[in-house]
Amino acid sequence: MTIAIDESAPPPSVRLVALNAKLRWACFSIRLVAAAWVVFGLGLTSWNWGHRADSLETMHKLYGLDPESVSALGYWSSTSIALSTWALAALAAARLWRLTGIYLDGRVFSIAAAEALRLFALTGLAATVFNIGVRPFIFGLVSTELLAKLPAYAWINPQDVFYLLFCGCVFALSVILETAAEFVDEHERFV
């Protein structure tokens, strides 16, 4: 079997080969961490809410909640909502997976990559806002008395603020990269 070699194509530079190796390593690492984050978060949420007696005992110790006042329907409804918050997080991880796929195809500075980055940022933002928004329902379904006893950080915590800032920065970066990619496309058309 012979391999056809295109002699007109320039040989890849050492620097480009090194960049591709770094890019592959970074993209696969990002994919691994994103998948592990979703699996870990979903597993931890399932573990915490899956043991009803332990969860109610913890709420009793922290907030003085009477475990006898919590109905099974209310508890399992709040558990379902808590688990549903991971659906948007999984979608954000899938968008990140798609973005790294575009990078692995070699289209790092392309309009498609900028659009995928924007979708990732918007999905992450939606997941964070949804998570913050459903907390009153989660705690209210467990017990209405719990709503009045929760400290302020139970409603919005520093991690939420970090996620919102991160998603905002990624969104801004996607706009910058899309503008740069449009300039490059326009330049290539004229050259």
Side-chain angles (χ1 to χ4, degrees):
M1 172 181 216
T2 60
I3 299 174
I5 299 174
D6 183 11
E7 305 226 358
S8 63
S13 70
V14 173
R15 188 173 178 190
L16 183 62
V17 170
L19 177 66
N20 286 339
K22 287 180 183 179
L23 185 64
R24 273 194 309 277
W25 179 85
C27 288
F28 288 127
S29 296
I30 289 169
R31 285 179 165 189
L32 179 66
V33 169
W37 175 72
V38 171
V39 169
F40 178 74
L42 189 57
L44 189 62
T45 303
S46 299
W47 177 264
N48 288 335
W49 285 92
H51 297 91
R52 183 174 189 256
D54 293 339
S55 293
L56 292 177
E57 183 62 30
T58 301
M59 289 181 205
H60 173 69
K61 288 177 184 174
L62 292 174
Y63 312 117
L65 175 70
D66 178 21
E68 299 299 322
S69 69
V70 179
S71 71
L73 178 64
Y75 182 82
W76 294 115
S77 297
S78 63
T79 301
S80 300
I81 293 171
L83 289 171
S84 74
T85 61
W86 284 99
L88 277 172
L91 181 59
R95 301 257 191 221
L96 188 59
W97 193 282
R98 181 177 176 270
L99 174 66
T100 56
I102 292 171
Y103 290 164
L104 289 169
D105 286 344
R107 298 179 294 147
V108 176
F109 300 108
S110 66
I111 292 175
E115 289 172 352
L117 187 62
R118 181 181 306 112
L119 281 175
F120 165 66
L122 291 174
T123 307
L125 184 66
T128 304
V129 169
F130 179 71
N131 192 12
I132 294 168
V134 297
R135 282 189 198 137
F137 297 112
I138 291 171
F139 294 125
L141 285 170
V142 171
S143 173
T144 53
E145 72 181 58
L146 188 59
L147 289 173
K149 294 180 179 181
L150 290 173
Y153 67 82
W155 300 111
I156 185 163
N157 57 49
Q159 183 177 345
D160 297 326
V161 174
F162 173 75
Y163 286 156
L164 292 172
L165 288 172
F166 175 76
C167 291
C169 289
V170 170
F171 181 81
L173 183 61
S174 73
V175 172
I176 292 167
L177 291 177
E178 183 176 30
T179 304
E182 288 171 353
F183 284 147
V184 169
D185 285 349
E186 186 177 314
H187 182 278
E188 287 179 354
R189 273 185 268 148
F190 290 120
V191 172

